[in-house]
Amino acid sequence: MELEKLFENNRKWAESKKVNDEHYFERLAADQSPTYLYIGCSDSRVPANEIMGLEPGDVFVHRNVANLVNNTDLNVMSSINYAVRHLHVKHILVCGHYNCGGVKAAMEPKDMGILNPWLRNIRDVYRLHREELDAIEDMSLRYDRLVELNVREQCISVIKTTSVQTLYTSTGFPQVHGFVFDLRTGLLRDLELDFPAILKDIQKIYKLTEQDLF
Ligand code: CO
């Protein structure tokens, strides 16, 4: 049975954690202070903790279709706010992945119902980078590039939030990073976005504090 298997797996997992550390769950229950906030796609092939080799307690995770940071999405905004203001995460990782169905759907002239307004955010990313994308003739390479540019734009959306701006100006953290996971190799790639340069570039428009962000 599919569900019974889950509980059997769970019991084995809990036992395995206690083999080397009998107080493992007491410590886990006491508190959390993760170093990272991970914002990634809901895709079943991209398990956040597993691909980064992180344990329970290491990373605060938010996942949705196509790893979007939409400023009217109370869900992602709450996750960012909580992770930054209360958990004091040091790094925010926005992680996209190649072969992302959400990004693919946003490249096609197709009615996706309730997903239309959600995926329109990716169409907006396309519009912002239209020249670069249209110049890539190979459709699969264009698709890969849109995945990367989507990550970049979502990172910028993270920087636009008050919580990130306030904490960053006073402490230098959290820092935002754009990653892409390659399902074809299992490898994670850092897009090496220049966070201070991006901040400097957009602060005139988006800054919400008196202080300069950079
Ligand atoms: Co995806």
Side-chain angles (χ1 to χ4, degrees):
M1 252 283 282
E2 283 130 354
L3 289 186
E4 279 167 19
K5 182 79 185 155
L6 300 183
F7 288 97
E8 194 188 312
N9 289 346
N10 169 252
R11 280 190 295 272
K12 282 185 195 157
W13 172 79
E15 283 309 315
S16 75
K17 289 291 175 193
K18 288 190 283 185
V19 168
N20 295 323
D21 180 0
E22 57 176 319
H23 300 295
Y24 183 84
F25 289 104
E26 286 159 47
R27 281 192 294 101
L28 201 62
D31 204 2
Q32 67 165 333
S33 82
T35 307
Y36 313 96
L37 161 63
Y38 170 98
I39 300 171
C41 185
S42 298
D43 194 303
S44 62
R45 300 166 296 177
V46 194
N49 287 63
E50 213 170 323
I51 62 173
M52 299 185 292
L54 296 177
E55 291 295 318
D58 290 343
V59 56
F60 195 74
V61 174
H62 179 90
R63 293 170 71 179
N64 61 35
V65 173
N67 42 273
L68 296 179
V69 180
N70 182 335
N71 67 341
T72 56
D73 174 15
L74 195 55
N75 193 348
V76 70
M77 286 298 133
S78 302
S79 297
I80 293 172
N81 198 289
Y82 186 71
V84 172
R85 288 193 197 270
H86 300 277
L87 299 175
H88 307 293
V89 294
K90 292 212 144 171
H91 301 278
I92 300 179
L93 320 172
V94 177
C95 185
H97 68 101
Y98 298 123
N99 298 74
C100 181
V103 173
K104 180 113 202 240
M107 290 177 81
E108 291 166 353
K110 198 173 162 193
D111 182 357
M112 296 289 286
I114 190 70
L115 273 172
N116 291 336
W118 188 253
L119 297 178
R120 210 200 57 210
N121 294 292
I122 306 171
R123 294 183 193 273
D124 291 340
V125 172
Y126 197 109
R127 182 170 49 79
L128 277 172
H129 299 276
R130 188 177 185 165
E131 223 170 294
E132 179 186 344
L133 288 164
D134 282 349
I136 305 171
E137 284 184 20
D138 182 319
M139 285 307 278
S140 67
L141 293 179
R142 192 187 292 183
Y143 175 23
D144 284 356
R145 186 61 184 147
L146 182 56
V147 165
E148 295 166 6
L149 291 170
N150 182 46
V151 168
R152 179 190 166 89
E153 291 304 322
Q154 305 318 312
C155 286
I156 294 174
S157 292
V158 171
I159 299 167
K160 291 172 189 167
T161 62
T162 347
S163 53
V164 172
Q165 291 189 9
T166 308
L167 268 286
Y168 185 76
T169 47
S170 56
T171 67
F173 289 101
Q175 292 173 358
V176 181
H177 310 269
F179 291 176
V180 178
F181 178 66
D182 194 338
L183 289 166
R184 299 161 293 204
T185 60
L187 297 177
L188 200 58
R189 196 180 131 210
D190 187 348
L191 292 177
E192 288 170 15
L193 299 175
D194 189 344
F195 183 54
I198 293 172
L199 265 180
K200 205 171 177 180
D201 181 45
I202 65 164
Q203 69 175 351
K204 185 168 165 248
I205 304 167
Y206 293 107
K207 85 174 172 166
L208 302 167
T209 61
E210 292 280 317
Q211 246 179 308
D212 273 351
L213 301 174
F214 184 76

Short mmCIF file of all heavy atoms in Angstrom, two decimals, residues 40-46 64-67 95-103 143 147 183, ligand 1:
data_model
loop_
_atom_site.label_atom_id
_atom_site.label_comp_id
_atom_site.label_asym_id
_atom_site.label_seq_id
_atom_site.Cartn_x
_atom_site.Cartn_y
_atom_site.Cartn_z
N GLY A 40 12.20 27.51 -3.98
CA GLY A 40 12.40 26.69 -5.17
C GLY A 40 11.09 26.22 -5.78
O GLY A 40 10.00 26.58 -5.33
N CYS A 41 11.22 25.44 -6.83
CA CYS A 41 10.04 24.92 -7.53
C CYS A 41 9.48 23.70 -6.80
O CYS A 41 10.20 22.95 -6.16
CB CYS A 41 10.43 24.53 -8.96
SG CYS A 41 9.01 24.01 -9.96
N SER A 42 8.17 23.52 -6.93
CA SER A 42 7.50 22.38 -6.29
C SER A 42 7.81 21.05 -6.98
O SER A 42 7.47 19.99 -6.46
CB SER A 42 5.97 22.57 -6.33
OG SER A 42 5.62 23.71 -5.61
N ASP A 43 8.46 21.12 -8.13
CA ASP A 43 8.77 19.91 -8.89
C ASP A 43 9.30 18.78 -8.01
O ASP A 43 10.25 18.99 -7.24
CB ASP A 43 9.80 20.28 -9.98
CG ASP A 43 9.94 19.20 -11.04
OD1 ASP A 43 10.23 18.05 -10.68
OD2 ASP A 43 9.75 19.52 -12.23
N SER A 44 8.71 17.60 -8.17
CA SER A 44 9.06 16.45 -7.31
C SER A 44 10.50 15.99 -7.49
O SER A 44 11.04 15.28 -6.65
CB SER A 44 8.12 15.29 -7.61
OG SER A 44 8.28 14.88 -8.96
N ARG A 45 11.13 16.43 -8.58
CA ARG A 45 12.49 15.97 -8.85
C ARG A 45 13.56 16.86 -8.24
O ARG A 45 14.75 16.62 -8.40
CB ARG A 45 12.70 15.90 -10.38
CG ARG A 45 11.76 14.94 -11.07
CD ARG A 45 11.76 15.15 -12.57
NE ARG A 45 11.24 16.49 -12.92
CZ ARG A 45 11.19 16.95 -14.16
NH1 ARG A 45 11.65 16.21 -15.16
NH2 ARG A 45 10.70 18.15 -14.41
N VAL A 46 13.10 17.91 -7.54
CA VAL A 46 14.07 18.85 -6.96
C VAL A 46 13.86 18.98 -5.44
O VAL A 46 13.34 19.98 -4.95
CB VAL A 46 13.96 20.25 -7.63
CG1 VAL A 46 15.16 21.11 -7.27
CG2 VAL A 46 13.84 20.14 -9.15
N ASN A 64 7.00 26.65 -4.72
CA ASN A 64 5.77 26.83 -5.49
C ASN A 64 6.07 26.53 -6.96
O ASN A 64 7.22 26.26 -7.32
CB ASN A 64 5.20 28.25 -5.29
CG ASN A 64 6.13 29.36 -5.74
OD1 ASN A 64 6.85 29.23 -6.73
ND2 ASN A 64 6.13 30.47 -5.04
N VAL A 65 5.05 26.60 -7.79
CA VAL A 65 5.25 26.30 -9.21
C VAL A 65 6.17 27.35 -9.84
O VAL A 65 5.87 28.55 -9.81
CB VAL A 65 3.89 26.27 -9.96
CG1 VAL A 65 4.10 26.14 -11.47
CG2 VAL A 65 3.02 25.14 -9.45
N ALA A 66 7.30 26.89 -10.32
CA ALA A 66 8.28 27.73 -11.02
C ALA A 66 9.02 28.75 -10.14
O ALA A 66 9.48 29.78 -10.63
CB ALA A 66 7.68 28.41 -12.24
N ASN A 67 9.12 28.45 -8.84
CA ASN A 67 9.89 29.29 -7.90
C ASN A 67 9.69 30.79 -8.09
O ASN A 67 10.65 31.53 -8.34
CB ASN A 67 11.39 28.93 -7.93
CG ASN A 67 11.97 28.69 -9.32
OD1 ASN A 67 11.92 27.58 -9.85
ND2 ASN A 67 12.45 29.75 -9.93
N CYS A 95 16.12 29.06 -6.16
CA CYS A 95 16.63 27.96 -6.97
C CYS A 95 15.64 27.51 -8.04
O CYS A 95 14.57 27.00 -7.74
CB CYS A 95 16.98 26.78 -6.05
SG CYS A 95 17.75 25.42 -6.93
N GLY A 96 16.00 27.75 -9.28
CA GLY A 96 15.20 27.25 -10.40
C GLY A 96 15.77 25.93 -10.88
O GLY A 96 16.74 25.42 -10.30
N HIS A 97 15.18 25.37 -11.89
CA HIS A 97 15.75 24.14 -12.45
C HIS A 97 15.42 24.06 -13.94
O HIS A 97 14.37 24.50 -14.38
CB HIS A 97 15.21 22.91 -11.70
CG HIS A 97 13.75 22.66 -11.92
ND1 HIS A 97 13.27 21.71 -12.79
CD2 HIS A 97 12.65 23.26 -11.40
CE1 HIS A 97 11.94 21.73 -12.78
NE2 HIS A 97 11.54 22.66 -11.95
N TYR A 98 16.38 23.47 -14.70
CA TYR A 98 16.13 23.25 -16.11
C TYR A 98 15.01 22.22 -16.24
O TYR A 98 14.72 21.49 -15.29
CB TYR A 98 17.41 22.77 -16.81
CG TYR A 98 18.53 23.80 -16.74
CD1 TYR A 98 19.76 23.47 -16.18
CD2 TYR A 98 18.34 25.10 -17.21
CE1 TYR A 98 20.79 24.41 -16.09
CE2 TYR A 98 19.36 26.04 -17.13
CZ TYR A 98 20.56 25.69 -16.56
OH TYR A 98 21.57 26.65 -16.48
N ASN A 99 14.36 22.16 -17.38
CA ASN A 99 13.20 21.29 -17.60
C ASN A 99 12.04 21.62 -16.67
O ASN A 99 11.30 20.73 -16.25
CB ASN A 99 13.56 19.80 -17.41
CG ASN A 99 14.62 19.33 -18.38
OD1 ASN A 99 15.79 19.67 -18.23
ND2 ASN A 99 14.22 18.55 -19.37
N CYS A 100 11.90 22.90 -16.33
CA CYS A 100 10.81 23.31 -15.44
C CYS A 100 9.51 23.44 -16.25
O CYS A 100 9.43 24.23 -17.20
CB CYS A 100 11.15 24.66 -14.78
SG CYS A 100 9.88 25.23 -13.64
N GLY A 101 8.53 22.63 -15.88
CA GLY A 101 7.26 22.61 -16.60
C GLY A 101 6.55 23.96 -16.57
O GLY A 101 5.91 24.35 -17.55
N GLY A 102 6.68 24.68 -15.46
CA GLY A 102 6.04 25.99 -15.34
C GLY A 102 6.63 26.98 -16.32
O GLY A 102 5.91 27.73 -16.98
N VAL A 103 7.96 26.97 -16.44
CA VAL A 103 8.63 27.89 -17.36
C VAL A 103 8.27 27.52 -18.80
O VAL A 103 7.99 28.37 -19.64
CB VAL A 103 10.16 27.88 -17.13
CG1 VAL A 103 10.87 28.70 -18.20
CG2 VAL A 103 10.49 28.42 -15.74
N TYR A 143 14.92 28.08 -23.69
CA TYR A 143 14.18 27.60 -22.53
C TYR A 143 15.10 27.59 -21.29
O TYR A 143 14.74 28.10 -20.22
CB TYR A 143 13.65 26.21 -22.90
CG TYR A 143 12.93 25.37 -21.88
CD1 TYR A 143 12.29 25.92 -20.77
CD2 TYR A 143 12.85 23.99 -22.08
CE1 TYR A 143 11.62 25.09 -19.88
CE2 TYR A 143 12.17 23.17 -21.20
CZ TYR A 143 11.57 23.72 -20.09
OH TYR A 143 10.92 22.91 -19.22
N VAL A 147 14.83 29.96 -17.83
CA VAL A 147 14.88 29.42 -16.47
C VAL A 147 15.85 30.26 -15.62
O VAL A 147 15.54 30.68 -14.50
CB VAL A 147 15.33 27.93 -16.48
CG1 VAL A 147 15.74 27.46 -15.09
CG2 VAL A 147 14.22 27.04 -17.04
N LEU A 183 18.71 18.94 -13.78
CA LEU A 183 18.20 17.57 -13.61
C LEU A 183 19.01 16.56 -14.42
O LEU A 183 19.05 15.39 -14.10
CB LEU A 183 16.74 17.50 -14.07
CG LEU A 183 15.70 18.19 -13.21
CD1 LEU A 183 14.40 18.33 -13.98
CD2 LEU A 183 15.48 17.40 -11.94
CO CO B 1 9.70 23.61 -12.04
#
